[in-house]
Amino acid sequence: MTTYAEPRADLAALTLEPAETALLDELLRDVTQLPGPLEEMIQTQVFASFAGRLPARLRAGIESFRDTPPDHGLLVVRGLPVGDIPATPAAYGANVLGERHASSLLVALVAHPLGGLIGYEDEKSGALVHDVYPVSGDAAKPLNSGSTLFDFHTENVHHPVRPSHLGLLCLRADHDRQAATMVASVREAEPLRTDRYRSRFPLSFTRGLAEDERPVTEPHPVLVDGPADSPGTRVRFNMHNTFGTDPQAQAALERLNRAMHTVHRAVRADRGDLLLVDNRIVVHGRSDFTPRYDGNDRWLRRFYPYPGELRADVLVRAGGRVLSKDSYARA
């Protein structure tokens, strides 16, 4: 793992008591009885009532994180029930758990106070819950299926409708406990506000395209001021895909990345650990680790909460939560 400084360790976790974990188990059994696909289920009033039954401390912690995030922009929750876990898949896109697995329903419940799940048609076929595990052919690529250093980035930097938060639920840690999720908040680093940057579409959205075929965004700033109802600096960059349109802009971006490494924190997750990241003020990454591809490798569930209304003309289907492939120009 290559970083510019040792990570800071001043981070407390919300650890559930056994009674709270048992309450969640009971809640998940009840949610399993709801009909319909996940995309429809999470938009019903019945599901909202179930989300209201989250353990009080957990619900309060999520709502507080939503409304007044700490400067480091991260919430860690430990002790969550994740259900029975099979062998970690070996192939990309295996989808062995499905929408009714306890971990799928759990992340949907957690995402509800944050605005609910969204997906992208051109990433993992529009899935609302993603499986993150190492794939041998992707080991050296800057992908969630890789295992080398994945440098700091905003989730879905290229898209005009970016998730407000990123969630990562750990099902299984890596063998050697090497893999760490790295997070760094722009509130604890320096600003770049000029509109002199462009971002290539990430590899996870452009599988099968050659490097010179990957689309590129219009020029955008890396740092901007938030709206009046949510003031403060917001960040948008991906060190693997964002680049300055002139040498001075590129040098400033590299200085920012070094600054983010200086203030970053690293979290090694175990089974039942959840990481919630404020995607508006935090960039995140992953340290390198050594997978064995033996069915016991690191495995996370990833999800994207989004609090705003989604216009009908940017969605795959009316009333849905998945953004269509041609939503970039219309969002």
Side-chain angles (χ1 to χ4, degrees), residues 226-278:
D229 61 348
S230 182
T233 300
R234 298 192 174 192
V235 62
R236 178 185 178 187
F237 83 92
N238 181 322
M239 278 308 294
H240 297 284
N241 295 309
T242 302
F243 56 93
T245 55
D246 59 74
Q248 184 182 27
Q250 180 63 27
L253 181 64
E254 292 169 0
R255 287 197 301 272
L256 175 64
N257 194 52
R258 288 195 295 271
M260 300 305 256
H261 276 274
T262 299
V263 300
H264 86 282
R265 293 165 172 83
V267 181
R268 290 179 172 84
D270 285 313
R271 175 187 171 99
D273 289 354
L274 170 70
L275 278 61
L276 286 176
V277 176
D278 191 318

Side-chain angles (χ1 to χ4, degrees), residues 7 26 61 69 130 135 137 142 191 204 213 228 266 319:
E26 179 182 349
H130 301 170
V135 176
S204 60
E213 296 176 326

Side-chain angles (χ1 to χ4, degrees), residues 54-138:
L54 286 167
R57 278 201 315 136
L58 175 59
R59 186 174 65 251
I62 295 170
E63 291 174 349
S64 175
F65 180 69
R66 175 196 66 199
D67 297 337
T68 55
D71 283 346
H72 55 65
L74 175 67
L75 173 65
V76 178
V77 182
R78 303 195 189 280
L80 293 165
V82 296
D84 296 329
I85 306 302
T88 302
Y92 179 82
N95 192 25
V96 297
L97 296 181
E99 292 186 342
R100 294 287 171 166
H101 189 266
S103 63
S104 301
L105 300 175
L106 174 62
V107 301
L109 289 167
V110 167
H112 191 272
L114 298 171
L117 300 173
I118 61 168
Y120 298 82
E121 184 184 15
D122 43 346
E123 184 184 38
K124 297 183 183 292
S125 303
L128 295 178
V129 184
H130 301 170
D131 290 296
V132 176
Y133 52 82
V135 176
S136 60
D138 291 345

Side-chain angles (χ1 to χ4, degrees), residues 172-195:
R172 179 175 289 132
D174 61 297
H175 291 85
D176 304 314
R177 300 283 290 128
Q178 291 179 320
T181 299
M182 309 183 304
V183 294
S185 171
V186 71
R187 292 182 178 178
E188 300 175 329
E190 63 179 270
L192 285 81
R193 300 178 182 275
T194 55
D195 193 6

Side-chain angles (χ1 to χ4, degrees), residues 46 49 51 73 87 99 129 176 179 222 272 286 292 304-305 313 319:
V46 177
S49 68
E99 292 186 342
V129 184
D176 304 314
V222 166
R286 184 207 59 238
R292 300 180 190 176
Y304 302 144
D313 64 340

Side-chain angles (χ1 to χ4, degrees), residues 134-143 145-149 286 288-289 291 293:
V135 176
S136 60
D138 291 345
K141 298 176 182 177
L143 283 167
S145 51
S147 52
T148 54
L149 175 70
R286 184 207 59 238
D288 55 355
F289 67 104
Y293 310 113

